[in-house]
Amino acid sequence: MKRLYAFAFALLLPLAGWAQMNSYNNWASGTAPSFEGVWWNAAESGWGVSVSHQGDILFAVWYTYDHDGSPMWLVMPNATLVDSDMNDMMGMMEMSMMGMSRNPPIYTGTLYRTRGPAFSSAAFDRNAVGTTEVGMATFLFRGVDTGVFAYTVGNFSSSKNITRMVFAPSVPKCSIGGLQKTSGAINYQDLWSRPDESGWGVNIAHQGDTLFATWFTYDASGKGEWMVMSNAARTAEGKYAGKIYRATGPAFDAALFDPNQVHATEVGSATFAFNGASSGTFAYSVDGVTASKAIQRQVYASPASVCN
């Protein structure tokens, strides 16, 4: 853990600082900033981290590549807010030297690799899902749209500057415990899953009339793989459609990430049909396999993020 904090603080030292009362409890109801969304390093296009934010917990899925270049995802389902006492131990000296009145928010947790039934299976057996602890990761947020992602997987450690991805003209404002607007289009940005098929899901970032959806699932061998809909367009109220791509790229532990080595191949298409703010259907046709799944916003803590 100390090694990860060292990465984060080393990158933070040049900053003038960004003060925030870290826990949502210290904000007026519905005003605490949310870090929910898809995060990336724009100079390393081809990988990213999707973050769901509820209460003082982040559920993060890291979309990257294995040693053979195949798509690989690692999950951090319980990244918790580091309390002020731990911050005092790990970094108050550095913060004091910079004249910071409060610490930037830091979330840390265990990384897991998961195996499970292939997306092409006729039925998803959640009892076949298995997880293996492979490391840990830390988010340090410099502001609502910038931060650091530091991680250790096995014997490999690294850190990356990240920003919130912007892919459409209209970017929603998200807050912890806010109220869904009562009129106009619903924003579907969140982590979506099927409760009786725990082990796979879809991360949705929603900006304007476009969804950026990343589907974390399993290939024919049971290995975790991900596919992406980078431009799912609105076709009607609550309905979105787009092409699905599978990417290959540099391994997560490559000395340098070369975005020129990322190659995306169209493998199918999918649609989202939402029947309300919290439920809908994810239908897809990939590699000749066609299926339809009922999905819901995943709830794991309270209050949830609301994006409008």
Side-chain angles (χ1 to χ4, degrees), residues 46 64-65 68-71 226 246-250 257 259-265:
T64 183
Y65 305 96
D68 62 358
S70 63
W226 56 271
R246 181 183 286 119
T248 59
F257 186 95
N260 294 316
Q261 294 180 20
V262 176
H263 301 286
T265 303

Side-chain angles (χ1 to χ4, degrees), residues 38 44-50 61-66 69-74 113 119 200-203 212-219 223-230 244-250 252 257 262-265 267 286-287:
V38 58
E44 298 184 352
S45 178
W47 73 272
V49 185
S50 288
V61 184
W62 176 18
Y63 298 102
T64 183
Y65 305 96
D66 211 340
S70 63
M72 177 185 84
W73 57 272
L74 301 178
R113 189 164 188 174
F119 75 88
W200 72 271
V202 182
N203 286 113
F212 187 109
T214 317
W215 175 22
F216 56 99
T217 183
Y218 307 94
D219 66 14
K223 173 183 173 290
E225 73 163 352
W226 56 271
M227 289 172 272
V228 63
M229 296 174 68
S230 56
I244 292 183
Y245 298 87
R246 181 183 286 119
T248 59
F252 71 93
F257 186 95
V262 176
H263 301 286
T265 303
V267 293
V286 175
D287 296 341

